[in-house]
Amino acid sequence: MDTTAGTGPDTEVEVVVAGGGPVGLMLACELALPKVGVVVLERLTEVDATIKAGAINTPTAESLYRRGLLPALEEVQREALERFASFLRQREAAGADGVAQPPRFAGHFAGIMLRGDLLDADDPDFHAAGPADDVGLVPQAALERLLADHAAELGVTVRRGVELTGFDAAADQVTVRTADGVLRAGWLVGCDGGRSTVRRLAGFPFPGTPPEITGHQALVEMTGGEGLKAGWNGTDTGIYAHGPLPGRILTVEFDGPPADRGAPVTAEELQASLRHTSGVDVTVTKVLTATRFTDNARQVPDYRRGRVLLAGDAAHVHAPFGGQGLNLGIGDAVNLGWKLAATVQGWAPEDLLDTYSAERHPLGAWVLEWTRAQVALMRPESHARALRGVLTELAGTVDATAFFAKRISGVLHRLDLPGDHPLTGRSAPDLLFSDGTRLGDRLRSGGGLLLDLADDSALRGRASGYADRVRVLTARTTGPAPAGLLVRPDGCTAWAVDAAPGDGAPASLDGLDDALRRWFGDPCDGPA
């Protein structure tokens, strides 16, 4: 990875990505797979080690698994689990009450814990992602380092210590200005966070609701921490959380947004907030990493304006509970990457790039509503506390645990795509093939894939004009599977068909030609 500070005078590149956090790096990697020239501009000189999201959801894990990053994710999770075990040992040594291994964690809603032991172990919704189903405890800083390494392997140019200061967007080009030079690009994508410079300069509207909380999250050294309850806890003065890492604290106070969100977070500030929300006389002796947050909830109406696009927090902001922002941003990057690459390379169908906003905006709007609901349940007033009690009781049931866990994990995400098959618009199931490989292993190149599971020449023939965009794989699976599957580069099922009764051949190829044209353009040698 090129980490030099300069951009060089009048550098030309196909795409400039402003922001080198997880979203910007993921997008750059997705563009690099099909060999699109991309430069990432990042104002920080090092990977941001500030404590932020602590976990990834299933769609994020699937996307990274499909790019060959599962072993690295598993190692990060192993280290995180070791830190959790250390947290339990430290509490036990300090004489804290009720120290025990908690039930398997399935997420939380407004700090209401979901017990994984209440989930149906045979529920197919939790098993379609294959090995990615078992990965989740991946902190944001570790993910950013992992993606930085992945970007380096793909030859992505990352200019650290370089910040976008302005740009001019024309009909055919974007001229990007930095303190170290000018870049002329075909496209500019703002992945530069909730206070995005790209969003502001491009004039994107950013409607939504104002903040009403001040939140803190930190890793600290402290005395008196044995008096804190582990996990999330609602009190008469707010919310606080302790763990699952040694020294990790989180507080939520409902006295309005912080006066200066960008000021350094001090030990005194964290101590006062923790004492206020917990009622425990702790003393914070050292701050290792800390951040403030609010529940400001806003979203741009459209993620594209001409040759300027937004992804991640630049397009939508909300309270960070459950790490939804990180996962939403990674999903943006994976959805946008192949569509922007197709546009740059000239084979994109008409309006393909516009499907990025059309597909991702509804999910972003849902996350904003999901986080608003959590803030409402956290309020330390009598009506909210009463409702929280009802939801806590409900969350202890099997059905409610499944409801919340499926939405938090993202396993129910589905795009509104043409077609009646149950898999259409869903993430492609990680089918196990008879040779021991899995579908996820076959998606590392980032291209389209037509899967022929019935050894049907007519099915394969439909893709004859798409050899440069869609690979065809004939294979057998070890379990039940459709007869055919068209998978987009982002892992979404674009078309599927079951076998006809009796002979195992596809029941019908209706809709396949339309799906190929819709997502991969016209065939090279005549009609498909």
Side-chain angles (χ1 to χ4, degrees):
M1 183 186 302
D2 185 347
T3 58
T4 57
T7 58
D10 294 343
T11 301
E12 293 190 3
V13 65
E14 289 168 319
V15 180
V16 169
V17 175
V23 176
L25 289 172
M26 188 75 196
L27 175 60
C29 291
E30 292 297 289
L31 291 167
L33 282 174
K35 310 301 182 185
V36 170
V38 56
V39 170
V40 178
L41 305 179
E42 170 52 50
R43 64 180 180 82
L44 299 179
T45 58
E46 302 289 343
V47 170
D48 187 3
T50 304
I51 185 170
K52 294 180 181 177
I56 60 175
N57 66 5
T58 298
T60 296
E62 282 183 297
S63 296
L64 297 167
Y65 158 52
R66 289 166 176 159
R67 299 302 183 248
L69 300 177
L70 184 63
L73 291 176
E74 291 173 333
E75 176 60 20
V76 170
Q77 179 168 267
R78 184 190 63 78
E79 294 172 355
L81 289 171
E82 288 180 353
R83 290 194 293 273
F84 177 51
S86 176
F87 169 71
L88 294 179
R89 289 193 298 269
Q90 287 184 17
R91 284 183 58 78
E92 184 175 20
D97 294 332
V99 178
Q101 183 72 30
R104 182 166 63 90
F105 181 60
H108 74 85
F109 183 78
I112 300 171
M113 295 295 103
L114 303 176
R115 292 176 47 176
D117 58 335
L118 294 179
L119 296 175
D120 181 358
D122 297 322
D123 190 327
D125 287 334
F126 291 112
H127 301 288
D133 279 323
D134 298 324
V135 176
L137 197 57
V138 178
Q140 181 165 330
L143 177 60
E144 185 172 334
R145 287 190 290 270
L146 186 157
L147 288 173
D149 291 342
H150 185 47
E153 293 170 358
L154 292 173
V156 172
T157 298
V158 178
R159 304 289 190 181
R160 291 198 171 273
V162 177
E163 185 174 7
L164 177 148
T165 58
F167 63 86
D168 297 305
D172 60 348
Q173 180 179 261
V174 183
T175 302
V176 177
R177 296 187 295 277
T178 77
D180 292 341
V182 172
L183 296 92
R184 305 189 189 282
W187 300 85
L188 169 64
V189 186
C191 301
D192 50 343
R195 287 167 276 190
S196 168
T197 299
V198 174
R199 183 187 66 236
R200 176 175 56 81
L201 293 180
F204 283 88
F206 205 37
T209 51
E212 61 180 62
I213 69 171
T214 293
H216 296 90
Q217 185 176 201
L219 284 177
V220 301
E221 294 178 2
M222 60 184 170
T223 59
E226 64 275 6
L228 298 171
K229 295 180 181 179
W232 287 69
N233 304 276
T235 71
D236 291 337
T237 51
I239 297 282
Y240 80 92
H242 185 211
L245 308 178
R248 186 261 186 171
I249 58 172
L250 180 145
T251 63
V252 181
E253 297 174 276
F254 288 80
D255 54 356
D260 184 359
R261 189 174 167 190
V265 181
T266 65
E268 292 76 16
E269 178 182 352
L270 292 170
Q271 177 177 291
S273 181
L274 188 55
R275 288 182 176 185
H276 179 243
T277 54
S278 70
V280 178
D281 193 25
V282 299
T283 299
V284 175
T285 57
K286 185 176 182 180
V287 179
L288 305 177
T289 174
T291 186
R292 293 185 195 87
F293 61 86
T294 74
D295 59 327
N296 182 36
R298 301 183 182 277
Q299 183 182 26
V300 296
D302 194 307
Y303 292 7
R304 176 188 176 192
R305 300 194 78 177
R307 289 183 171 266
V308 180
L309 301 106
L310 302 177
D313 289 350
H316 38 70
V317 296
H318 49 80
F321 306 125
Q324 291 285 347
L326 169 65
N327 293 294
L328 189 60
I330 293 294
D332 290 348
V334 174
N335 187 288
L336 173 60
W338 70 278
K339 296 173 180 178
L340 184 54
T343 303
V344 168
Q345 295 175 336
W347 62 261
E350 185 178 1
D351 299 329
L352 176 66
L353 196 55
D354 291 330
T355 67
Y356 162 58
S357 185
E359 292 179 356
R360 295 301 299 174
H361 190 279
L363 185 56
W366 172 81
V367 169
L368 263 67
E369 290 294 273
W370 187 262
T371 55
R372 287 183 180 118
Q374 292 184 75
V375 171
L377 275 179
M378 291 179 175
R379 291 186 182 126
E381 52 90 15
S382 57
H383 291 81
R385 296 298 299 278
L387 183 59
R388 184 179 182 86
V390 172
L391 263 291
T392 299
E393 184 176 354
L394 182 64
T397 67
V398 171
D399 288 345
T401 297
F403 171 86
F404 284 111
K406 287 182 180 183
R407 281 154 180 79
I408 291 169
S409 66
V411 299
L412 294 185
H413 290 178
R414 182 172 187 174
L415 302 179
D416 184 16
L417 304 188
D420 298 327
H421 195 280
L423 289 176
T424 303
R426 298 285 296 268
S427 179
D430 192 44
L431 301 172
L432 177 62
F433 301 130
S434 56
D435 64 358
T437 64
R438 308 189 71 102
L439 180 57
D441 300 323
R442 304 299 186 118
L443 297 175
R444 293 189 181 185
S445 65
L449 179 68
L450 179 61
L451 192 59
D452 168 26
L453 298 175
D455 196 10
D456 185 82
S457 59
L459 174 64
R460 297 192 297 272
R462 297 298 180 95
S464 60
Y466 293 90
D468 58 331
R469 286 155 279 168
V470 179
R471 292 180 297 118
V472 178
L473 173 64
T474 299
R476 295 288 184 182
T477 64
T478 61
L485 206 65
L486 178 63
V487 184
R488 303 191 322 187
D490 58 0
C492 177
T493 303
W495 173 88
V497 64
D498 292 324
D503 60 6
S508 171
L509 298 182
D510 291 348
L512 177 54
D513 292 347
D514 290 341
L516 285 165
R517 287 183 183 276
R518 178 180 179 86
W519 303 114
F520 300 102
D522 293 327
C524 293
D525 52 356

